[in-house]
Structure formats: structure tokens, C-alpha cells
Amino acid sequence: MTSSPPTERSPQPGQQPTGSQSGASRLRSTFPMATPRVFIPAAVLVVLFVGVAAIFPTRMGDWLASANSTVVGSLGWWYIAVVTSFVFFSIWMALSPMGAIVLGKDDEDPEFSLKSWFAMLFAAGMGIGLVFWGVAEPLNHFASPPPGTDVAAGQEQVARTAMDTTFLHWGLHAWAIYVVVGLAIAYAVHRKGRPVSIRWALEPLLGKRILGFWGDVVDVVAIIGTLFGIATSLGYGVKQVGAGLGFLGIVDEASTPLLLILITVITAMALVSVVTGVDKGIRILSNLNMGLAALLLAAVLVLGPTVFLLSDFVTQIGSYLQNFFRLAFDVRPFQGQAGEDWLGGWTTYYWGWWMSWAPFVGVFIARISRGRTVREFILGVLLVPTMVTFLWFSVLGGTAIWTEMFGGGGLVGEDGVSTDLALFQLFDTLPLSAVLSVVAMVLVVVFFVTSSDSGSFVVGMLAEGGDPNPPVWSRVFWAALEGIVAGVLLLAGAGGLAALQTSAILVAAPFSVIMVLMMIATAKALLAENRVIQRKKRQWLASQIADEVTEGLHETGVVVAAEGDRTPRAGRRKR
């Protein structure tokens, strides 16, 4: 037998212990940061934006729409190139020798079970969007095909293009965005012992400068993006719940007062979850989400055209992989203004939307991934949720398209698809429609509570200087502010919510540059550590071979050991 090869990395200059951090005081004494430099600017900017949007919703909406048009029209190519590069970066990291590096101590076990880990990844990453767009997006692409679609080839080709496009927007690209941020933070936090903060992911590039102004800017941008992303999701969620209540005849219409009441109730539920902490509240809600989502998915699969849906799921995976490169790099330059408008309304919008959520989701999945290897982390975050998401859209979106092509139709009206009502209109064509609609509305509520819980926890960590257990008052403050932001802008009218949605996309423009820097910093750090590990392995292997050769020469008599060198073979190895 031989001794085990070395796997421990050599200590880095100035590296902090990777053990559990006890609280904010210890973190701030080790990594001196003035927390108010992040907390106060972020809170003031959000409140100021909300105030202006509430007082001047039309003017603010017009200004942000103009800015968004500039970003989408001028930087669409940048978003598409950058997000696709994230996919290739993730695959490279997972398949390379660096994938064996543990996000924590080398002998550390994962903090959460695989089941709970997957549940938290899935619920935090997509949430309300899956319920809101599960039927609406494939149906929209089917009713209004993307520019360049060969419509003359018939409905079959249009349906395939609709599903390909949906898979692009919700597949590997979306989760690769989360991988880039999550991996960078998980490595800095669990491997290097840094605080839970976006800025520390840039340490390999910026060094101690992350403790200054630019580090504060990075964290403030992350907080604002997270708040706006969650508040917008809450706006969409209550609109869908209100539409469902109206569709079921429980209310006459989804009026603004009703939506404000829904926001208040859901935010109150989120606050209760927030104060219970990540190990209790988020884990329980995440498992509940998975159960409700699985129940809804199974019901539609069984009650709908089951064989068609399963066949479409398998076929669609092949179609997605076959057309991956064409879809991933398609900026649609030859479709003119129609192509630019479509891209801005869908693909570029999605990439900006996912990047605006990346600080929240990235920090959260890093927080729950201690003890995973780089390979486990990437494959878990990139592949498992993607496959579940594909199944979700194949069942819900596939049932909707089947209804239009082979069923009774009725989901696409003269004015196109009613995005808010599409899910409930589909349920109306199935048995147990009322039960399915109630389950869907409950799922939307629970998804938001989970997102708000996770988001306020992450924002609290960022605002408190990287404290892994931010104080309750901080989490409550940010969770309440999420509801206030959504409520005030909803009260201001459609312009308010549109301004919020647009601003979240605009936040992604500077953050996309930060993400590229994070990708480079992570690659630099992991490559450096891998070189140290490989060098140690070569040294160990050379030593083992030398010992074995010497022992073999002694045993065959080619070399006679000196009188004082009679140490037994095992003893020499131990030495």
C-alpha cells in the first residue's frame, strides 16, 4: 500500500481561516468595512426611485423606456455574447481538473442534503416566473412566431420554433448566469473564508481595493438589482393571482386595491418566514414549493395529452441541443427593426432579467453550497434545474400548443395571447380546472414568499458587511421594503411597474461587466490553486516512485543498503 496523495492546498498569504464565522463583530474586525457605506446609499436610492416613480410615473416611465430602448438596441449583441460565454465557462470549469476542488475544507461534508439543496436551488432561481410564463411564453411564440421563422412550413415548424425559443430562454443560459456569480462567491466564502459579499469575488483581480469605494458600489448595485427583481416578481405574481380570482368569479375584477391587499398579505407571510432563518423557513418553504409544483405538473401531465407531452419532451431536448449554437448566437441582424424589437422584448430582456437576479440567486446558492465540489456545484446548478424546467414547459406549454393544434383551441384570441390569464384558460380545458387554478395561485404565493425570504436574507448579508447571519431587524427591513416598492409602484399605475421592470434590466448593464470580471477572477484563482495541487501531486508521485525504485533495487541485490540504512520498507515511506 502507498500513502495518499496530498490534496490540501498551500496556505495563501493573508488567507483567513475557513471555519465558521461567529457573527458580525468578528467579521468586521477581521475585514474592516463601514457597513453604512452600503446600507444607507442602497436604501436611500431605492426609496428615492420609488418616490419619483410614484409622483411622476409617466415621466419616469418614459425616461426609463428610452434608456432601455438604447440598451436593448445598442447592447443586445453584448448581452447575447456575454451570457453564452457564461455557458462555456461553466462547462469548462465542471469538466476540468479544477472541478475536484471543494468549496470548503477538503474533508468537509455538504451542509444540506441533496434533496433540500436541489429544492432550494430550483425555488430561488426561477420562482414565480415558471408559473407566470409556463403557458404564456410558448403560446406567445406559437401565436406570433419570432422573425425569421419559416411559417410556410406549417404549424409543426412554428410549434417547434416556439418550444426551442422557450427552452433557450429558460435553459442552460439562465442557470449559467447563476453559476458565474454563485461559484465566485462560494469559492471566496467557503474556500477562502471571506464574508458573504459580492465584492470579495473580485479579490483575485482587485486585491485590497475591494474594501474601498468600488467594492461599495458593487454591493449597492447588487442590493438594488435584487430588490427591484423581487418587487417586480411580486407585481407579476399578484397580477396573476388577481386574474385567477377574477377568472374563477371570486371577484369581479383584479382592482388596484385588491392587488395592494394581496401584496400586503404576501409580504406579511414573507416576514414571518424571514425571522425563522434560512435553515427553517427557506428549507420548509422550498420543500413545499417542490411538492406543490410536482403536484401541479403531474396533474396536467395525467389530465392532458400524456403520450404527446412525453414524446414532445424527449424530442424537444434533441431539438434544443441540435439548434443550440444557432439559437445562442442569434442576434437577428437581418430581420431589421422587427428582429431588434423582438429581441428586446424576449431574449435580450431575459438575459438582462436573469442578470438582475444574479446577485440574489448567486449569493443564496453560494450560501447553501458549502462542502460541494466545484463540479457538483456546477452540474447541480446547471443541469438539474434545467431539466426540471424543460419538463415544466414541455407539459404546460406543450398542452397549450396541443390544444391549439389538435384540441378545441380558444387560447389565442383575436388580440393574441392573454398572458395573465393563459394559465387559467388552459386549466379551463382540463378536468378539475378550479382545483388546478387554486393550486397554481397558492404556488405563486409560496414562490414569492420563498423568493422574498431568500432575497431579504441575501440583501441583509450584503448590507451588513457580509455577515452570514444578518440581524433580524435588517432582514425584516429589506423584506418590508420589497413589498413597499411593489405596492407604491403598483399604486402609481402601469407606468410604475413598467419603470420598475425596465430599471431592473438597466441595472444588469453595469452588472454584466462585473460578472465578466467575476468570471475572470474565479478562473484566475482556481487555476492558481490547481497548479499548486498538481505540483504537490507531482512531488508526491516522484517521491513515491523514488522510494519504490530504491526498495526494488535493494530487494534484487542490485544495490546493497548501507549498514545504517536497514529501515523497513514501510518505515521509510512513513518517513
Side-chain angles (χ1 to χ4, degrees), residues 247-333:
F247 188 80
L248 293 175
I250 298 175
V251 297
D252 293 333
E253 61 176 351
S255 61
T256 299
L258 173 63
L259 299 183
L260 291 176
I261 292 173
L262 290 174
I263 287 178
T264 302
V265 172
I266 295 173
T267 301
M269 295 172 62
L271 290 174
V272 172
S273 177
V274 162
V275 298
T276 63
V278 66
D279 292 328
K280 295 180 180 179
I282 299 177
R283 182 161 52 185
I284 293 173
L285 287 173
S286 296
N287 288 331
L288 178 60
N289 272 350
M290 290 295 289
L292 286 175
L295 177 63
L296 186 65
L297 186 70
V300 177
L301 178 62
V302 172
L303 298 175
T306 306
V307 175
F308 171 86
L309 297 177
L310 294 176
S311 301
D312 181 55
F313 174 59
V314 174
T315 303
Q316 189 54 48
I317 292 176
S319 180
Y320 171 73
L321 295 175
Q322 181 182 5
N323 295 292
F324 178 81
F325 287 96
R326 178 181 60 82
L327 292 167
F329 290 97
D330 192 1
V331 190
R332 303 181 185 273

Side-chain angles (χ1 to χ4, degrees), residues 96-108:
S96 72
M98 293 172 285
I101 295 175
V102 179
L103 300 173
K105 296 180 180 179
D106 288 309
D107 58 350
E108 191 168 7

